[in-house]
Amino acid sequence: MVAEPKRGGSGAESEGPEDRKPQSDEARSAFAPPAGVEQPGPADEDSPTSEFALPPGLTTGEHPVVPEASAFDTPSTYSSRNAPPAFTPAHGMPMVKLIKEAPWQDRMRTLLRMPVGDRPVPEPVQRHDEAGPAVPRVLDLTLRIGELLLAGGEGAEDVEAAMFGVSRAYGLDRCEPNVTFTLLSISYQPSLVEDPVTASRTVRRRGTDYTRLAAVYHLIDDITSPDTDVTLEEAYRTLAEIRRNRHPYPGWALTSASGLLAGAASVLVGGGPVVFLAAAIGAMLGDRLAWLCAGRGLPEFYQFLVAAMPPAAIGVALTLAPTTMWDVRPSAVITGGLFALLPGRALVAGVQDGLTGYYITASARLLEVMYFFIAIVIGVLVVLYLGVQLDAELHAATALETVERPVTQILASMLLCFAFAILLQQERNTVLIVTLNGGVAWLVYGAMHDVGGISQVASTAVAAGLVGLFGQLFSRYQYASALPYVTAAIGPLLPGSATYFGLLAIAQNDLNSGLASLSKAAALSLAIAIGVNLGGEISRLFLKMPGAGRGASRRAAKRTRGF
């Protein structure tokens, strides 16, 4: 007989093969309480628990833990006796109200000079869809506008103000533009918890066209104005039209203006009709040779070097010519040619960037000016060395005789400014204003230096200050850039004669006199640049401030005191 298996007994003895299979992870968990331990009740769905919650009955110290109702409630560990200094000052936070009637340059510059936390919340000027502004397109448009301004010679602070105004008008309030000599970048942070969006653009080529610069300023004025609706597509279309527009003056007009500028400068330093004609021919030959070098892809250094040689060669040739029929002043011919080449525009922009705190851009601009000046020095010195070897009668002591011709000199200075404005491709409605501004500058300089006997550097600084003052007032009245009203007006004040004297003394192996004269030329150049900038800053005293309250006042960096 086969014995039947016993029923009951232990579970191991009663389990069959199917019952001995391992249980799943869901059935057996390491966190499941073992058998014999009181099982927890079902979780309340209305009050879910958290793994960070403290178990019941557990305390962290003497005081029980009291949950805070809101993140903005005062923490339980806060003590008024040991409280840190309050962030809000006793007089309260200043309220900033921007004056809409002020030009956008002043409003945006005021915001840029304020701390980020003190800037008021912007009101988007231009409309966009419900999804918000297209951030990549707004940043790209901003960089393209800044590129045209920087390539046209605008100062770094004005370029940043323009970029900030465009991005702010399209609803991007937390934007930080950054401008260097050849690189523009802008960063936008949507919120404190989102990653910032950064875009950059490189300026590969620079050119002088103040008509295009004025058109860009008009576009920025329309974008930042609440009375004008400019969509992104319309802004892109207008910007493309500005880029495609040709220069207002043809090439032959620019070459003629270069000759006219050199001729007027030679008359300004004592030349006559023959000197005027010789200086004009030399400058036009130099201009054509520079254009030829540019077409061959040579850098600007060699273009300046080649352009400086024809006026100097004509001056030396007139010295060697055996004629006494006319009152010929070869030194005036060479000086007139130097007036047409001295980089006054880049010098003023470089010093302005340095005075406003953009030291990297200022260093790059001044280094560029130094390279151009060295190129001019090399071009003129080569010709002067040849003239000295040929026994040319070039004497620095009697090179230029002081001739009191106030009416002729004032007319010559105005003619010089007129030709300079053509070379800068200015709008036709600004040529007359800048011509009058240059005439006033030379009148003030002549009255102080020739009549009053004041030093040349001080007289130049005061005259340049008036140029900057009137230029800023004109630009604010027209809601445009100040460069078209300032750059050409400083033409008569450029140190052409001091530069020539220094080069001539070096060519005759008189290094002490040459370096002294070149140092004087550098001092005059700095006086021009600082005077223009100071005049522009003084003009702001006559303008309505774009803000109200202490928060809108202009902030400046404190003196470092040597550390």
Side-chain angles (χ1 to χ4, degrees):
M1 295 179 63
V2 178
E4 295 181 359
K6 296 180 180 181
R7 299 182 182 274
S10 63
E13 297 178 354
S14 62
E15 290 179 353
E18 294 82 1
D19 298 331
R20 288 195 294 268
K21 293 181 181 180
Q23 297 180 354
S24 63
D25 293 339
E26 296 179 357
R28 303 183 65 180
S29 174
F31 298 96
V37 179
E38 182 181 359
Q39 301 293 328
D44 189 2
E45 297 181 356
D46 296 336
S47 302
T49 60
S50 172
E51 58 183 358
F52 298 101
L54 295 176
L58 179 63
T59 58
T60 58
E62 300 178 356
H63 304 283
V65 177
V66 180
E68 298 178 6
S70 172
F72 297 97
D73 291 345
T74 304
S76 58
T77 57
Y78 177 80
S79 175
S80 59
R81 295 183 178 180
N82 301 324
F87 177 77
T88 305
H91 52 77
M93 296 297 294
M95 183 176 61
V96 179
K97 294 181 180 180
L98 295 179
I99 301 174
K100 297 183 178 180
E101 291 77 11
W104 64 265
Q105 300 98 311
D106 292 338
R107 290 187 280 118
M108 296 304 110
R109 191 180 290 109
T110 301
L111 292 176
L112 278 176
R113 290 169 176 171
M114 293 174 57
V116 179
D118 294 349
R119 294 175 185 172
V121 178
E123 299 179 0
V125 177
Q126 302 302 330
R127 63 181 184 274
H128 47 75
D129 54 11
E130 297 180 357
V135 175
R137 298 197 66 193
V138 173
L139 296 183
D140 180 70
L141 175 67
T142 302
L143 289 174
R144 291 177 182 272
I145 290 177
E147 178 190 8
L148 286 180
L149 294 178
L150 188 62
E154 194 64 75
E157 185 181 27
D158 295 328
V159 176
E160 283 195 0
M163 295 172 63
F164 188 76
V166 172
S167 61
R168 193 177 177 87
Y170 284 106
L172 306 185
D173 54 335
R174 288 177 293 272
C175 278
E176 287 297 331
N178 187 21
V179 176
T180 57
F181 184 55
T182 57
L183 180 65
L184 301 99
S185 63
I186 184 169
S187 179
Y188 169 67
Q189 189 169 11
S191 64
L192 296 178
V193 296
E194 296 183 62
D195 295 333
V197 181
T198 303
S200 62
R201 196 173 183 87
T202 303
V203 179
R204 299 293 182 183
R205 183 180 179 184
R206 293 184 301 275
T208 304
D209 190 346
Y210 283 177
T211 300
R212 180 179 297 175
L213 189 68
V216 176
Y217 262 76
H218 291 318
L219 174 60
I220 300 172
D221 186 42
D222 293 338
I223 292 176
T224 56
S225 175
D227 301 330
T228 307
D229 293 331
V230 182
T231 62
L232 282 175
E233 289 74 15
E234 294 173 351
Y236 268 106
R237 192 180 306 113
T238 305
L239 198 62
E241 293 176 356
I242 293 174
R243 285 180 174 273
R244 287 195 301 265
N245 284 344
R246 294 186 175 181
H247 299 303
Y249 307 103
W252 63 266
L254 298 180
T255 303
S256 302
S258 179
L260 188 63
L261 191 154
S266 64
V267 174
L268 195 65
V269 294
V274 178
V275 172
F276 178 92
L277 183 61
I281 294 175
M284 288 189 290
L285 287 176
D287 182 76
R288 286 293 90 191
L289 288 176
W291 276 101
L292 182 62
C293 294
R296 294 293 185 270
L298 292 179
E300 288 183 295
F301 179 86
Y302 301 103
Q303 297 177 26
F304 273 84
L305 190 150
V306 171
M309 298 180 74
I314 291 180
V316 173
L318 290 177
T319 304
L320 297 174
T323 178
T324 57
M325 296 178 59
W326 305 287
D327 184 15
V328 178
R329 298 176 184 270
S331 55
V333 176
I334 302 175
T335 303
L338 291 176
F339 267 87
L341 295 176
L342 292 177
R345 173 182 59 88
L347 176 67
V348 172
V351 174
Q352 180 180 359
D353 288 341
L355 293 176
T356 52
Y358 296 85
Y359 300 113
I360 297 178
T361 308
S363 302
R365 289 185 187 272
L366 294 178
L367 185 62
E368 182 187 39
V369 171
M370 185 185 71
Y371 271 101
F372 292 162
F373 190 78
I374 291 175
I376 297 172
V377 167
I378 294 175
V380 175
L381 277 180
V382 169
V383 178
L384 291 182
Y385 272 125
L386 293 177
V388 171
Q389 297 301 322
L390 296 176
D391 297 331
E393 296 182 0
L394 298 171
H395 304 288
T398 60
L400 296 177
E401 297 179 2
T402 304
V403 181
E404 294 184 0
R405 300 181 299 176
V407 178
T408 303
Q409 289 179 334
I410 292 176
L411 294 177
S413 65
M414 296 177 66
L415 184 61
L416 190 152
C417 295
F418 174 81
F420 206 170
I422 300 299
L423 285 176
L424 294 175
Q425 306 276 1
Q426 292 191 195
E427 292 181 305
R428 291 178 173 83
N429 58 352
T430 63
V431 173
L432 179 60
I433 297 177
V434 73
T435 301
L436 294 176
N437 197 10
V440 171
W442 182 259
L443 180 63
V444 172
Y445 170 79
M448 295 182 62
H449 178 63
D450 298 337
V451 179
I454 302 176
S455 67
Q456 190 175 1
V457 176
S459 303
T460 301
V462 173
L466 290 178
V467 169
L469 173 63
F470 294 148
Q472 287 289 340
L473 294 179
F474 286 140
S475 66
R476 291 302 183 269
Y477 178 74
Q478 297 291 335
Y479 289 87
S481 172
L483 289 181
Y485 302 96
V486 170
T487 306
I490 64 173
L493 303 176
L494 293 176
S497 58
T499 304
Y500 167 71
F501 288 155
L503 298 180
L504 180 59
I506 293 176
Q508 295 176 345
N509 294 326
D510 189 0
L511 294 180
N512 293 331
S513 300
L515 293 178
S517 185
L518 291 179
S519 300
K520 181 181 178 181
L524 291 174
S525 301
L526 291 177
I528 293 173
I530 295 175
V532 169
N533 182 266
L534 183 60
E537 296 296 331
I538 292 176
S539 67
R540 304 182 196 281
L541 301 177
F542 302 95
L543 300 173
K544 198 172 184 180
M545 290 296 295
R550 208 181 72 154
S553 60
R554 179 174 180 177
R555 298 172 182 262
K558 294 183 179 180
R559 184 164 61 94
T560 58
R561 301 183 185 274
F563 53 84

